[in-house]
Amino acid sequence: MVDRRLISIVEDDEPFRESMTKLVKLLGYTVEAFPSAADFLVSPSLAQTACLVTDIHMPGMTGVELHRHLVETGYAIPTILVTAYPDDAVRDRALKDGVVCYLSKPVDDNHLERCLRSALKRRAPVLDPLSRWSGRHGWERLVCAPSARAHR
């Protein structure tokens, strides 16, 4: 069964982008892939994206910068960051900024699937910059932040 919610993938490395696209489709999701943050930002798919999977290290705008830009412009899309160069400081800051998961390449299929499910379970996006995720859970190569609860 195909999940009609759109997963957008932003990855500058074409072979990895194609591989990730195939994997996410095999997991049953609708997928759109982009070679850069700039291409994603001007795409009509931006408004329909239910979850974003993006590389961290890309020319132009990085995945972290893309996530921040989306939040600042009102598109608090649940985001999964992927990197070949894991960095604890970047991971910790990204999770504090509301990123759902931080994955190291090569991506484990089961970890990605858990992250996608977690991202798609999220209710209304948290747009208040004072609201933060209240902790995180860790796995060997996966870090996910727990579901957000809006402060009232």
Side-chain angles (χ1 to χ4, degrees), residues 93-111:
R93 179 64 190 173
L95 292 172
K96 285 179 185 176
D97 285 347
V99 167
V100 177
C101 291
Y102 182 97
L103 299 172
S104 297
K105 294 179 183 179
V107 173
D108 177 276
D109 300 2
N110 294 322
H111 292 165

Side-chain angles (χ1 to χ4, degrees), residues 67 78-80 91-102 114-115 117-119 121-122 132-139 142-149:
H67 173 73
T79 301
I80 299 168
R91 180 198 63 217
D92 292 346
R93 179 64 190 173
L95 292 172
K96 285 179 185 176
D97 285 347
V99 167
V100 177
C101 291
Y102 182 97
R114 277 190 290 217
C115 283
R117 279 193 310 237
S118 176
K121 282 182 185 175
R122 299 208 182 231
R132 293 288 181 231
W133 308 112
S134 59
R136 65 176 177 262
H137 303 285
W139 287 275
L142 162 74
V143 178
C144 286
S147 296
R149 288 187 169 72

